[in-house]
């Protein structure tokens, strides 16, 4: 499925559906490559779309968590 994450004008429903899809992608990460790709997708999506307050907090938390996990993987 192709979802234009850099599309600047999305309906609220599309933002919600895409956000839920992205969270499932993040939850299914199994290696550092998938984590890095997920991190890029979440950053791009949260930057280019107007997320509600809870979604933005979740996005910030996911970005922080993925960044930490990637750094830990690189160090080991």
């Amino acid at each position: 499925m192709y979802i234009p994450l850099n599309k600047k004008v999305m309906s609220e429903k599309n933002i919600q559906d895409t956000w839920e899809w992205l969270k499932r992608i993040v939850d299914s990460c199994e290696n550092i490559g998938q984590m890095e790709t997920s991190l890029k997708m979440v950053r791009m999506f949260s930057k280019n779309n107007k997320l509600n307050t809870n979604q933005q907090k979740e996005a910030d938390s996911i970005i922080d968590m993925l960044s930490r996990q990637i750094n830990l993987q690189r160090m080991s």
Side-chain angles (χ1 to χ4, degrees), residues 4 12 15 17 22 29-30 33-34 45-46 53 65 67 71:
E12 210 169 293
I15 288 173
D17 290 348
L22 274 172
C29 288
E30 296 179 355
Q34 291 173 345
F45 187 72
S46 68
T53 305
M65 181 264 307
S67 297
N71 286 335

Side-chain angles (χ1 to χ4, degrees), residues 14 20 29 37-38 41 53 58 60 63 67 70 73:
N14 284 347
E20 293 302 321
C29 288
T37 301
S38 295
M41 290 191 307
T53 305
E58 276 185 310
D60 293 342
I63 289 168
S67 297
I70 289 167
Q73 292 268 336

